[in-house]
Amino acid sequence: MIRRLIRHVLIALLCGALIFVILNVAAWYNLRGQRNMCRNQDFTRFYGLRVLGMQIADYRETHGVLPDTLAEIPDVHAMLELPGEPLLDSWGNPFQYRREGENYELFSYGRDGQPGGVGLDADLYVDGRNRERALPTFRQFFLTNDKDEVARDGFLVAGAEAAFLVFCFTLMSLKGTTRTGHPMTAWRYIWFTLVVLVIATGMGLMLLPLHIPNGH
């Protein structure tokens, strides 16, 4: 009796843990490119770099040349609400501006403030290049405990709730099969576990789009 209960609890825990992992992997893969998922990146890319890019274009139209530095752009500090020099991105690192003849490069080094990097540490450009490389990795999505970096707390809570429900459902279902008097063989345990995982995963994936963060 005790051995059967332990076996049922372990199977229920396995189902719950797998559901938690599956739903969070699905959330990371499907929603990592959504707006408001990575707010610091969004602010730097869609506000800081975009405003600076427009100001550089206005400066070139007015003066006929590109500015040598961002400091030459009138009122740019006031527009970005950043008094003083240098102009900083969401992580307190200076925006990078390089004039190359009639062209220029405008970008941020990302969270780590260093060239290169992947995910939250990737460089961000005003023209949107490197966007795929700047998507957060699963490790960053799962372990970054800062909602301004990755707004993933809601998904972790939802995954934990789903895992708990699957655990309870699995445990009660296994208890019900015991009452029928039919012995649960190893293959029956395996099939039962697979059925529970398929049903729970399908329902979770169908509900997942309803929880896209909106920034409120």
Side-chain angles (χ1 to χ4, degrees):
M1 180 67 179
I2 298 298
R3 292 178 61 184
R4 184 188 302 121
L5 177 61
I6 293 175
R7 185 162 57 245
H8 289 179
V9 170
L10 290 177
I11 292 175
L13 285 173
L14 175 62
C15 290
L18 288 175
I19 287 298
F20 179 80
V21 172
I22 289 171
L23 292 183
N24 277 282
V25 169
W28 161 74
Y29 185 80
N30 290 316
L31 304 178
R32 56 188 175 152
Q34 296 287 336
R35 293 286 293 270
N36 292 321
M37 275 296 295
C38 302
R39 295 171 186 170
N40 282 341
Q41 278 191 342
D42 288 347
F43 180 86
T44 294
R45 181 188 292 118
F46 298 115
Y47 182 65
L49 290 173
R50 180 173 293 178
V51 169
L52 286 174
M54 291 188 297
Q55 290 299 302
I56 292 171
D58 290 343
Y59 184 96
R60 175 156 54 181
E61 183 176 351
T62 301
H63 298 85
V65 295
L66 289 169
D68 291 323
T69 67
L70 294 178
E72 295 181 14
I73 303 175
D75 302 324
V76 68
H77 293 83
M79 290 193 65
L80 289 175
E81 299 179 356
L82 294 171
E85 180 73 21
L87 296 169
L88 305 178
D89 59 20
S90 299
W91 302 277
N93 301 316
F95 285 105
Q96 303 298 312
Y97 171 77
R98 298 172 184 170
R99 178 179 173 180
E100 301 173 353
E102 295 301 316
N103 300 309
Y104 69 92
E105 291 277 6
L106 177 64
F107 59 97
S108 162
Y109 279 139
R111 182 180 64 171
D112 63 354
Q114 301 294 326
V118 178
L120 300 177
D121 298 326
D123 300 343
L124 304 175
Y125 289 85
V126 66
D127 57 7
R129 81 183 77 165
N130 211 31
R131 181 171 176 79
E132 289 296 321
R133 189 176 180 83
L135 296 175
T137 65
F138 180 71
R139 186 174 185 274
Q140 292 170 342
F141 176 86
F142 192 75
L143 297 180
T144 301
N145 189 27
D146 186 340
K147 65 180 181 180
D148 289 328
E149 292 293 347
V150 180
R152 55 81 166 117
D153 290 352
F155 298 110
L156 294 183
V157 172
E161 291 174 347
F164 178 74
L165 291 176
V166 169
F167 169 80
C168 294
F169 171 78
T170 305
L171 196 59
M172 295 300 295
S173 298
L174 288 172
K175 185 178 180 181
T177 59
T178 302
R179 290 176 179 174
T180 62
H182 299 292
M184 288 291 288
T185 63
W187 281 111
R188 286 186 177 180
Y189 278 123
I190 293 174
W191 278 111
F192 179 86
T193 302
L194 290 176
V195 169
V196 170
L197 289 176
V198 169
I199 294 175
T201 302
M203 293 181 64
L205 294 179
M206 286 189 295
L207 294 174
L208 191 60
L210 301 178
H211 298 282
I212 295 176
N214 57 14
H216 299 295

